[in-house]
């Protein structure tokens, strides 16, 4: 073990009000912060006043640092004796490659801990007034990555579960996912919502049904990052109050997602 250490911190889905107290404390003590595009980073210099801030995510015209390089940086800074915060969007263990980073640190003999975060899988639907479970409507929710197309077994399983389906990274595979679910038996009228850039001033929610969503999404020009929610719970969303989109009373602190 070296004197430095790494803490993986979940930053929540965009707004710094969704940082945990533990996350804020870790940032305040950090010597080095490696952060992603989807992690809240607008006020990072204030939250981590002693830290060197390293952007390892995608920014326009700038390529992201490859995963193995990120792991090397974490280890290198910890070996040099630093308290390193790896700040990630949402929760570090939900499609965040947090597991790989923990293993890399352990293999290198670096002490590593994890502070969980508010995941977009649950919080972004909530930002659009959608409860992923609703008594007598849905007693389960399944979170799936849409980064790669879903295979037939996955589509059949999802369509047969009667679960709320939450898809992250699903914008580019929206056609494959929605057509596949209908082919495996989900009714064409099944409600679907697409919530873009949750907890930012650019948040936008699109409500539709499986058979109309491709047309509606194309018309609206839906882009990433967005969460897809499929299932009857979507019909229970609170859509009457235009301000209900923001479940936090923090509109003033909302920032554009870069
Ligand atoms: N670890 C993260 C997820 C990383 S995968 C978490 O727990 O939230 C990245 C995907 O998360 C995006 O493609 C998008 O589907 C979703 N996402 C993250 N932040 C979001 C936001 N503010 N608004 C909408 N979707 C978001």
């Amino acid at each position: 073990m070296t004197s430095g250490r790494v803490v993986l911190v979940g930053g929540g889905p965009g707004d710094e009000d969704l940082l945990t107290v533990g996350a804020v404390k870790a940032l305040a003590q950090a010597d080095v912060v490696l952060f992603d595009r989807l992690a809240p980073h607008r006020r990072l210099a204030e939250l981590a006043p002693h830290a060197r801030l390293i952007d390892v995510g995608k920014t326009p015209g700038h390529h992201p640092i490859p995963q193995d390089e990120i792991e090397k940086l974490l280890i290198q800074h910890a070996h040099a004796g630093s308290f390193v915060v790896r700040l990630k969007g949402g929760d570090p263990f939900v499609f965040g490659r947090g597991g790989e980073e923990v293993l890399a640190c352990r293999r290198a003999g670096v002490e590593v801990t994890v502070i969980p975060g508010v995941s977009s899988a649950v919080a972004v639907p909530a930002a659009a007034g959608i409860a992923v479970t609703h008594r007598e409507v849905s007693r389960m929710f399944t979170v799936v990555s849409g980064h790669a197309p879903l295979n037939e077994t996955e589509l059949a399983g999802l369509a047969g579960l009667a679960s709320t389906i939450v898809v992250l990274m699903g914008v580019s595979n929206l056609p494959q996912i929605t057509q596949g679910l209908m082919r495996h038996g989900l009714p064409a009228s099944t409600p679907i919502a697409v919530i873009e850039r949750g907890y930012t001033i650019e948040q936008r929610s699109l409500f539709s049904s499986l058979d109309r969503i491709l047309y509606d999404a194309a018309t609206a020009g839906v882009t990433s990052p967005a969460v897809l929610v499929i299932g009857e719970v979507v019909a229970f969303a609170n859509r009457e109050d235009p301000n209900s989109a923001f479940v936090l009373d923090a509109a003033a602190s909302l920032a554009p997602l870069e």
Side-chain angles (χ1 to χ4, degrees), residues 156-183:
L158 286 170
L161 263 180
S163 165
T164 300
I165 302 167
V166 178
V167 188
L168 303 192
M169 299 177 279
V171 171
S172 50
N173 282 317
L174 187 64
Q176 195 262 345
I177 295 164
T178 52
Q179 302 299 315
L181 289 171
M182 284 192 283
R183 193 155 35 75

Side-chain angles (χ1 to χ4, degrees), residues 13-14 38 89-92 94-96 118-121 124 167-170 195-200 224-227 257:
L38 289 178
D91 183 88
V94 178
F95 308 130
V118 173
S119 179
S120 65
V124 171
V167 188
L168 303 192
M169 299 177 279
I195 307 108
E196 303 167 83
R197 295 175 286 282
Y199 299 105
T200 74
S224 262
V227 171
L257 207 60

Side-chain angles (χ1 to χ4, degrees), residues 122-133 164 193-195 207 229 233-234 236-238:
V122 175
V124 171
I130 302 167
V132 290
T133 68
T164 300
V194 181
I195 307 108
F207 289 85
V229 192
V233 291
V234 171
F236 286 79
N238 179 6

Side-chain angles (χ1 to χ4, degrees), residues 142-245:
T142 309
V143 182
V144 57
S145 163
H147 184 63
L150 301 185
N151 65 37
E152 293 301 299
T153 314
E154 290 167 336
L155 288 166
L158 286 170
L161 263 180
S163 165
T164 300
I165 302 167
V166 178
V167 188
L168 303 192
M169 299 177 279
V171 171
S172 50
N173 282 317
L174 187 64
Q176 195 262 345
I177 295 164
T178 52
Q179 302 299 315
L181 289 171
M182 284 192 283
R183 193 155 35 75
H184 283 278
L186 275 195
S189 60
T190 305
I192 174 169
V194 181
I195 307 108
E196 303 167 83
R197 295 175 286 282
Y199 299 105
T200 74
I201 46 166
E202 295 166 331
Q203 176 171 316
R204 185 167 70 148
S205 311
L206 175 65
F207 289 85
S208 184
S209 53
L210 279 184
D211 58 347
R212 291 200 334 257
I213 185 62
L214 292 187
Y215 176 80
D216 290 344
T219 308
V222 163
T223 56
S224 262
V227 171
L228 321 179
V229 192
I230 301 163
E232 292 304 324
V233 291
V234 171
F236 286 79
N238 179 6
R239 292 157 65 182
E240 279 154 33
D241 172 3
N243 295 320
S244 73

